[in-house]
Amino acid sequence: MANKTYHEEQEIKNVILLRNILADMPQYVSAYFRSIEYSKAPRTRLGYARDIKVFFEYLCNNNLSLKEKNLKDVTVEMIDHLRAEDIEEYLEYIKVYEKDGQQYTNSENAIKRKLVSLRGFFQYLYKNEKIQSNPTTLVEMPKIHQKTIVRMETNEVAQFLDNVEFGNKMSNHQQTYHEKLKTRDLALLTLMLGTGIRVSECVGLDIKDVDFDYDRIKIVRKGGNEAYVYFGEEARDALKDYLQERKDIVAYTGHENALFLSAQRKRISVRSVELMVKKYASITTPLKKITPHKLRSTYGTSLYQQTSDIYLVADVLGHKDVNTTKKHYAEIDDWQRMKAKDAVTLREKPNHK
C-alpha cells in the first residue's frame, strides 16, 4: 500500500483524537459531530470537540444543577435548562481557570472561538427539537481588540537570512550543529518568507511537490484544497542547494517522500520549525516575538506594499474571504494613505527663473 501523505496522516490522527473525546461524552454530542462530518474538516471538528468538552467539564464542576455529575450523565434535558446567563458565566470563567493543578488562560479570540463552537452545537440541538431554545444566540460575541501586526522590516529579513546562512552570533557549539543543517534551514525559511505559506503547508511538502519548470510548489491548504504557490529566484536557488544535499540523506522508513527532514531523518514537525524560527529571530530581532505566522505576515505586508492589490494578497495567502486579509493587514492602509498625499496636484507650482 502506498505511503500516506502528511495531510492524510494528520487527518487520521485528528479523527482518532476526536473519537477519544467523544467516548467520554453523551450520545447526542456524538450525533452532532456526525451531522457535520462532511461539512467540516477533521481538524475543525476536533477543535469544536475540545471546546465543547471544556464546556461540559465546566458544567459538571461549577453549575449548581449539574455539579458532581460525569460528562456522560449530562442529559439533553439538563442542557435545555441552561440560559444565556449560564453561557456568560462560562465565558467569564474560562478567561483564567485551573485544571489538574495547571492554570489555563484564553484570549479574546479563543473565547470567541469557543462561543462559536457552542453556537453550532446548540443550533443543532434546537433545529432537531432536542431543546426548546438556543441561549447562545442571546450572548454577545466578545469584542476583539486589534493588535499591531508584528513583522520584520526589509533590513531585518535580510539580516535574518544572513544569520541562517552564516550562523552569525552563535557559540562554537551552536555553529557545529548549525553547519549540519544550515542548507535545510535556509531553504525552508527562504521558502516561507518568499511565499507566505503556513507552517503546516511547509512541513507537509513532499519532494515531488516542487516544480522547477514553473518555479512553484503544490501545497494543501486549510480545508484540504490543493493549490500552487510560486516562488522567486532566491527561494529557487536555496531549494536546489538543499535538494542536492537531500539526495544523499537516507530518510527514516515512512518519511522517504518528505521534502524537509529533521536531524533524525524524519519529516520535520511544526514544533521544530517554530523552534528554528525562534532561534534565528532571537539573534536578529530580540525585541520582536517572531513566529512562523509572523513570517507569513511579513510576506503579506511586503506583497501588499509592492502591488497595492489586497485581492492578490488574499489569493496568494489562501484566504477564502478578502475581509480576512483586510482585517489582518488593515494597519498598512496607513502606508497607502501616506502615499496618496502627493498623488493629487491642486495647483501647478510656478517656475521661478
Side-chain angles (χ1 to χ4, degrees):
M1 192 168 77
N3 287 339
K4 290 182 174 59
T5 67
Y6 168 79
H7 299 283
E8 288 170 340
E9 289 176 349
Q10 290 299 112
E11 284 207 358
I12 291 171
K13 177 183 175 183
N14 289 335
V15 167
I16 293 172
L17 289 171
L18 174 60
R19 285 177 183 170
N20 291 338
I21 292 174
L22 294 180
D24 296 329
M25 305 291 282
Q27 184 278 331
Y28 58 89
V29 178
S30 296
Y32 164 62
F33 281 94
R34 284 196 296 273
S35 76
I36 61 172
E37 181 175 357
Y38 298 107
S39 61
K40 302 293 182 184
R43 182 181 175 185
T44 302
R45 298 201 304 275
L46 178 60
Y48 286 173
R50 285 171 171 158
D51 290 342
I52 292 170
K53 185 178 181 181
V54 169
F55 177 64
F56 271 64
E57 288 174 340
Y58 163 79
L59 293 178
C60 292
N61 291 325
N62 298 275
N63 190 281
L64 292 176
S65 61
L66 297 170
K67 210 163 185 182
E68 305 304 326
K69 290 188 178 294
N70 294 321
L71 301 187
K72 279 194 175 238
D73 295 333
V74 180
T75 65
V76 73
E77 288 78 20
M78 294 171 179
I79 296 295
D80 198 18
H81 282 90
L82 296 176
R83 296 295 175 256
E85 184 179 355
D86 297 307
I87 308 299
E88 289 167 348
E89 287 176 354
Y90 161 69
L91 297 179
E92 175 63 30
Y93 167 81
I94 60 173
K95 287 180 180 178
V96 183
Y97 68 98
E98 286 192 5
K99 178 184 174 184
D100 300 328
Q102 185 173 346
Q103 187 180 82
Y104 294 87
T105 61
N106 282 282
S107 64
E108 292 172 340
N109 279 310
I111 292 171
K112 180 178 180 180
R113 192 200 70 225
K114 283 178 166 54
L115 180 53
V116 168
S117 299
L118 285 184
R119 279 189 174 180
F121 174 55
F122 273 76
Q123 178 59 25
Y124 163 80
L125 295 177
Y126 180 67
K127 189 174 85 172
N128 288 275
E129 300 181 343
K130 306 283 187 185
I131 57 177
Q132 299 301 309
S133 64
N134 181 354
T136 62
T137 59
L138 303 176
V139 178
E140 288 191 18
M141 278 289 176
K143 185 177 180 181
I144 305 301
H145 295 86
Q146 296 297 328
K147 296 180 180 179
T148 302
I149 297 174
V150 177
R151 58 182 179 268
M152 289 192 287
E153 303 300 332
T154 303
N155 63 311
E156 292 172 334
V157 171
Q159 186 60 58
F160 179 84
L161 292 176
D162 280 349
N163 292 339
V164 175
E165 185 171 5
F166 303 112
N168 300 330
K169 301 179 182 178
M170 290 185 179
S171 66
N172 291 335
H173 176 72
Q174 288 175 320
Q175 279 279 8
T176 302
Y177 187 74
H178 171 263
E179 195 63 30
K180 297 176 182 177
L181 298 173
K182 67 177 183 181
T183 307
R184 180 205 67 183
D185 292 359
L186 186 62
L188 188 152
L189 295 171
T190 302
L191 184 65
M192 290 189 70
L193 277 165
T195 60
I197 58 174
R198 297 177 176 90
V199 62
S200 59
E201 295 164 350
C202 183
V203 302
L205 287 169
D206 286 338
I207 296 172
K208 63 178 176 58
D209 294 327
V210 183
D211 177 4
F212 288 114
D213 290 335
Y214 294 95
D215 286 348
R216 64 185 184 179
I217 49 174
K218 185 172 74 174
I219 61 171
V220 178
R221 293 287 195 194
K222 284 169 65 176
N225 295 322
E226 292 185 345
Y228 283 106
V229 175
Y230 294 83
F231 50 80
E233 183 179 351
E234 192 167 358
R236 185 180 204 270
D237 292 343
L239 280 170
K240 284 203 163 188
D241 288 343
Y242 170 66
L243 282 170
Q244 191 65 36
E245 191 176 279
R246 173 70 177 80
K247 285 192 299 185
D248 298 325
I249 302 174
V250 180
Y252 194 85
T253 303
H255 299 259
E256 297 89 349
N257 298 326
L259 175 59
F260 294 112
L261 296 176
S262 68
Q264 290 73 40
R265 298 179 289 116
K266 296 180 180 180
R267 183 185 296 276
I268 198 167
S269 66
V270 169
R271 182 58 180 158
S272 293
V273 176
E274 289 171 345
L275 292 173
M276 181 195 305
V277 172
K278 182 179 180 180
K279 177 179 72 174
Y280 293 116
S282 65
I283 298 170
T284 311
T285 56
L287 299 181
K288 291 182 180 180
K289 186 180 178 182
I290 301 297
T291 64
H293 190 74
K294 299 302 185 289
L295 302 188
R296 184 169 158 83
S297 298
T298 297
Y299 173 80
T301 302
S302 297
L303 183 61
Y304 184 55
Q305 289 178 339
Q306 291 294 322
T307 65
S308 302
D309 189 341
I310 197 69
Y311 293 95
L312 174 63
V313 177
D315 182 60
V316 172
L317 291 179
H319 290 161
K320 292 181 180 179
D321 185 353
V322 72
N323 288 319
T324 302
T325 318
K326 288 178 179 178
K327 180 179 72 175
H328 286 300
Y329 296 96
E331 182 188 284
I332 58 178
D333 283 341
D334 284 337
W335 174 82
Q336 286 288 73
R337 286 190 285 270
M338 184 176 67
K339 272 204 334 179
K341 67 183 175 65
D342 295 322
V344 176
T345 301
L346 301 179
R347 292 188 298 171
E348 291 292 335
K349 289 183 179 180
N351 291 324
H352 297 289
K353 293 184 179 180

